[in-house]
Amino acid sequence: MKATAIANTNIALIKYWGKRDETLFLPMNSSLSITLDSFFTVTTVEFSKSFYKDIFFLNELQATDKESNKAFNFLNKVREFAGTNLHARISSENRVPTAAGFASSASGFAALAAAATRALGLQLSEKELSMIARQGSGSACRSIYGGFVEWQKGIRTDGKDSFAKQILNEKAWDISVLSVLLAAEQKKVSSTEGMKRTVETSPFYTGWLNTVEKDLEEAKEAINSRDFEKLGIIVEANTMKMHATMLGAKPPILYWQRGTIDVIQHIHKLRSAGIYVYFTIDAGPNVKVLCLPEDEKIVYESLLSLKDVQDVIICHPGSGIKYFE
Ligand code: PMV
């Protein structure tokens, strides 16, 4: 009873920020992402009667208690779904620079969900798998699919209408996403904690909720008509708005560092010079830069010349879940 799955990570173009149910990981708003080809997690899960407890190896080392508990709690949900109490051995390799604050939870829980359910012999649709992955980390539900992906928030209390679906596959539209790695500290406020504080205390959160579904519709229109400029403008505005809601929280949350602002201002300069280039930022200091493939080289080189930029990794739309038999 063993299976291996590989999942790519994803970056939200229209952000998920806020949970309406913390146990089932149900979001306050729908979101939209692009699955990236350069960052992924490969996970093998084996269930056996001979295992007397769960064990989790991450990049060949035994995972910390915090990491292990998250993975085992998630396995409990999978076990409940499958009607089994077998223990498991998980072994994961993360090709995501986690230490630098790049999110690995999306690819991590998508790969774990896929490998664990496959190891237990469950035959799930992508939609069902997306609903299971969601309960490890919300953004993981989008990493089941390649290309451009929408996570519909749903309205049911049991979460059965909260899952992701593909809106355009990875081959349908090539854009460049440059992941800018800054010389910055690890984030101090987790996304779960940041969301909770924002929902409970920020007076700007209602403004977010009142406008985010419209942002999503506009982004979908831009994707469907391959209108890069329209997409870039809405993506950038949506990111700024999400961070503005956090600045209004009590106490305020600021994920940005000096290098973050340098990159933002640099993008503005490139745009004034006539290049179609936009940014998005998650719950951390690093920036993801969107541009057209023909401008990729010039944008890449100019970003590398900035003082606080340690590395830039070029990504393109990536595929959904894959299994190794
Ligand atoms: O799923 P989480 O807990 O990693 O939260 C993701 C939050 C953001 O990255 C900021 C936005 C998103 O939609 O991915």
Side-chain angles (χ1 to χ4, degrees), residues 25-296:
F25 290 69
L26 298 176
M28 294 288 264
N29 65 275
S30 301
S31 56
L32 192 151
S33 61
I34 177 166
T35 302
L36 303 177
D37 61 353
S38 300
F39 300 138
F40 54 89
T41 304
V42 189
T43 296
T44 300
V45 180
E46 182 175 10
F47 288 94
S48 168
K49 272 191 229 145
S50 64
F51 298 159
Y52 67 94
K53 63 172 189 170
D54 293 327
I55 186 149
F56 178 22
F57 290 95
L58 184 57
N59 298 332
E60 290 177 6
L61 296 172
Q62 192 159 349
T64 62
D65 285 351
K66 196 174 160 203
E67 287 159 345
S68 298
N69 288 339
K70 270 176 113 176
F72 302 158
N73 285 340
F74 178 70
L75 274 190
N76 289 341
K77 294 182 185 181
V78 176
R79 277 188 281 249
E80 197 186 318
F81 184 80
T84 177
N85 52 18
L86 290 175
H87 288 298
R89 181 193 162 97
I90 309 169
S91 144
S92 257
E93 201 191 320
N94 246 339
R95 293 289 179 83
V96 182
T98 28
F102 274 92
S104 59
S105 63
S107 56
F109 280 103
L112 181 57
T117 52
R118 179 66 65 107
L120 288 169
L122 299 174
Q123 300 289 332
L124 300 180
S125 65
E126 288 180 320
K127 174 177 151 184
E128 288 168 317
L129 190 56
S130 168
M131 283 197 275
I132 291 182
R134 188 198 76 219
Q135 296 175 62
S137 160
S139 55
C141 79
R142 300 184 306 235
S143 272
I144 303 301
Y145 303 87
F148 295 84
V149 181
E150 178 185 358
W151 172 14
Q152 303 176 329
K153 66 177 173 144
I155 49 167
R156 291 173 58 140
T157 49
D158 62 6
K160 296 227 162 94
D161 56 354
S162 185
F163 51 85
K165 59 172 196 190
Q166 187 180 62
I167 56 173
L168 209 60
N169 75 43
E170 62 274 21
K171 298 201 174 70
W173 192 27
D174 189 21
I175 64 171
S176 303
V177 181
L178 277 57
S179 276
V180 183
L181 178 57
L182 296 168
E185 289 166 32
Q186 269 268 43
K187 67 178 172 188
K188 292 193 178 66
V189 183
S190 71
S191 52
T192 300
E193 194 188 328
M195 286 182 200
K196 191 169 158 55
R197 197 189 302 168
T198 309
V199 172
E200 288 173 358
T201 65
S202 176
F204 307 148
Y205 193 68
T206 38
W208 167 261
L209 284 183
N210 288 341
T211 53
V212 66
E213 302 292 331
K214 187 166 171 286
D215 292 354
L216 187 107
E217 282 316 307
E218 237 172 80
K220 280 202 305 194
E221 275 166 31
I223 290 167
N224 286 326
S225 57
R226 316 288 196 272
D227 185 337
F228 185 72
E229 186 182 7
K230 179 171 171 165
L231 181 65
I233 290 170
I234 191 70
V235 165
E236 207 173 283
N238 183 265
T239 239
M240 294 303 260
K241 191 159 54 183
M242 176 183 76
H243 286 272
T245 67
M246 302 176 198
L247 290 175
K250 248 181 165 176
I253 305 161
L254 176 64
Y255 285 113
W256 300 1
Q257 297 197 8
R258 186 182 64 188
T260 314
I261 305 205
D262 281 351
V263 176
I264 292 176
Q265 289 177 331
H266 185 70
I267 301 299
H268 290 163
K269 254 191 239 157
L270 289 175
R271 239 182 5 244
S272 311
I275 300 176
Y276 292 110
V277 57
Y278 304 89
F279 65 84
T280 182
I281 307 164
D282 277 341
N286 293 310
V287 185
K288 307 279 188 313
V289 175
L290 312 180
C291 68
L292 291 166
E294 59 258 38
D295 297 326
E296 180 182 290

